[in-house]
Amino acid sequence: MAAARLTTPAGMSRLRFPAMGTDVEVLIPSQDVGAGHRVRELFGTWEAALSRFRPDSELARVNAAGGGVASPLLAEAVGAALLAAHATGGVFDPGLAVQLSRAGYDRPFTEMDPSSPLPAPAAVRPGGDWRRVLLTDRRLLRLPPGMHLDLGGIAKGMAVDAAVALLRRLAVPGGIVSAGGDLHVWGLPPRARAWTVDIDAPVAVPRIPLRRGALATSSTLRRRWDTADGPAHHTIDPRTGRPAETDLVSASVVAARCAEAEVAATAAIVLGAEDGAAFLSARGLHGLLVRRDGPPVTVGAWPARERAEVNG
Amino acid sequence: MKSMDEQQQRSPRERNGARLSRVKTGILVASAAAFAAIGGAVATGGDGGTSPAPAADAVPRAAQEPDAFFGDASQEQHQGGVFAPGQGTQDAPMMRSGGS
């Protein structure tokens, strides 16, 4: 399905750059472009610390060593990931890097060849080892044997939130920061009632008018590859240690912060449509769950009416 | 200790951030949820690798776990009107979610 062309409101500018394994976009007033470049620096800092694939990253060193004294940034990210794991009852699990690598995602996705089948994944163990991670008040971090952290999704969401906080501190009145489609808005666009956002989905879904907060979409249709055992994707089910077998192809969630939205979207994918909807509803989150078969499921105040012109 | 008024003046997001901050600094006033999130590690030094909870058992509890992460920031959103009034819009899109 062809995607609609994005529009940049008059008086605003759009910055694009690659970071954290995805494309970052910043939509801000044109007079604040200088502040936008500070966002690029911020993402560079987060990537240098938290990338799973950069051998010189702090996370890579900690994973290799089984721990160490974490920088404030790494400690903040790990602390948030552990809170998220607890808040989802372990459905979101930051300790699945080994399982993800064994499923085939062992290098930046841009370096993978999705059309060339990988061998069947090696035997893996389920998740849950996040409960044995040690993080002390002095930022001493210790990982259980054999467990590596993957902070990819939540770190991306946290970086988006941090970028918005930075821009607000710099008195930028409004805009959008997006990392691979996980985004956070503040203020309002000129002469408009909301920020309009398209949801990337294989079926017709409403274009949404977002006034505040963050939106994240997790999908099994992206970052997908073939193996001798069949298709695989990047969302690991901690119960099996393998790519989640789910009736959802995507989950979009609106929450106060991008990190929350990203975690909730990932949890919904793992849980599936019925349990995922209950999970979001219990937390007062708004969501759109797109099933492989059947109409999409909306949760909370998600705009339900399909517009006449869908995704272009 | 902050007065009740002071606490009520703090936004849900500030309270959430404070909760996380307490976890990171290991002060024992951390909520039970936050405390459990790190397996007691901050206060006790950690169990060092004994008896992890099976992930398969963890999932069905998801809807009942206390929320140290989502907290009440989501309620802030819910009450504040996160979407513009009405339904889906036909205005041109300014951003796309889910593209990668």
Side-chain angles (χ1 to χ4, degrees):
Chain A
M1 187 174 293
R5 182 183 176 87
L6 297 182
T7 185
T8 300
M12 302 197 78
S13 295
R14 187 182 301 269
L15 308 178
R16 289 191 178 96
F17 55 90
M20 301 183 81
T22 190
D23 296 318
V24 176
E25 289 192 52
V26 183
L27 182 64
I28 51 175
S30 297
Q31 70 266 22
D32 294 312
V33 164
H37 291 304
R38 296 275 298 275
V39 172
R40 184 195 295 258
E41 297 172 6
L42 181 149
F43 271 92
T45 300
W46 280 68
E47 180 175 15
L50 305 179
S51 170
R52 179 168 67 102
F53 299 118
R54 289 176 55 160
D56 60 341
S57 77
E58 184 183 7
L59 179 65
R61 291 199 304 271
V62 162
N63 276 338
V69 178
S71 68
L73 178 57
L74 179 60
E76 180 183 358
V78 172
L82 295 176
L83 285 175
H86 180 75
T88 59
V91 180
F92 171 84
D93 189 332
L96 296 174
V98 171
Q99 289 85 345
L100 193 54
S101 291
R102 289 188 179 164
Y105 194 1
D106 58 356
R107 71 204 76 176
F109 194 74
T110 52
E111 297 177 15
M112 294 176 65
D113 179 5
S115 63
S116 179
L118 296 171
V124 291
R125 62 183 186 185
D129 282 348
W130 62 271
R131 296 177 186 276
R132 296 191 293 151
V133 173
L134 170 73
L135 177 63
T136 73
D137 56 345
R138 295 179 183 273
R139 304 196 306 274
L140 173 63
L141 177 61
R142 191 175 74 202
L143 308 181
M147 194 208 85
H148 288 182
L149 290 168
D150 172 26
L151 301 174
I154 190 171
K156 193 169 60 175
M158 291 178 72
V160 167
D161 293 331
V164 170
L166 169 66
L167 292 170
R168 295 182 81 140
R169 283 199 304 274
L170 295 172
V172 178
I176 307 176
V177 176
S178 167
D182 293 350
L183 58 92
H184 192 150
V185 309
W186 78 107
L188 284 174
R191 296 174 295 283
R193 60 178 188 147
W195 305 96
T196 52
V197 181
D198 255 358
I199 305 296
D200 190 40
V203 297
V205 296
R207 181 174 293 160
I208 64 168
L210 190 61
R211 295 183 63 175
R212 65 185 70 184
L215 164 63
T217 296
S218 182
S219 171
T220 62
L221 301 178
R222 303 282 183 175
R223 296 182 191 258
R224 184 179 180 88
W225 60 94
D226 284 329
T227 75
D229 271 356
H233 58 83
H234 68 111
T235 304
I236 300 293
D237 186 334
R239 293 168 292 194
T240 63
R242 296 179 178 277
E245 296 182 11
T246 174
D247 59 347
L248 294 178
V249 293
S250 74
S252 300
V253 175
V254 165
R257 296 175 297 146
C258 196
E260 287 180 50
E262 203 282 335
V263 166
T266 300
I269 288 284
V270 171
L271 290 170
E274 184 174 346
D275 290 345
F279 173 87
L280 299 180
S281 182
R283 286 156 180 79
L285 299 168
H286 313 281
L288 172 74
L289 307 180
V290 179
R291 294 183 288 180
R292 192 182 306 111
D293 301 304
V297 175
T298 61
V299 181
W302 198 277
R305 189 184 67 197
E306 291 184 0
R307 54 193 166 77
E309 180 191 5
V310 177
N311 288 356
Chain B
M1 187 154 193
K2 289 185 178 298
S3 69
M4 185 66 76
D5 283 344
E6 285 176 304
Q7 291 187 30
Q8 288 173 342
Q9 286 168 6
R10 299 167 67 196
S11 70
R13 186 173 302 177
E14 287 171 332
R15 291 197 295 271
N16 229 25
R19 195 177 294 135
L20 175 57
S21 177
R22 285 195 293 270
V23 173
K24 286 163 58 184
T25 56
I27 298 171
L28 294 180
V29 295
S31 71
F35 182 72
I38 51 175
V42 166
T44 67
D47 62 18
T50 59
S51 61
D57 292 343
V59 173
R61 297 204 311 265
Q64 301 150 22
E65 293 283 352
D67 267 347
F69 182 71
F70 298 106
D72 38 20
S74 298
Q75 293 302 320
E76 177 187 32
Q77 286 297 306
H78 198 67
Q79 294 162 5
V82 68
F83 301 110
Q87 296 294 331
T89 178
Q90 293 189 47
D91 294 344
M94 300 171 189
M95 201 62 82
R96 183 170 293 111
S97 181
S100 69

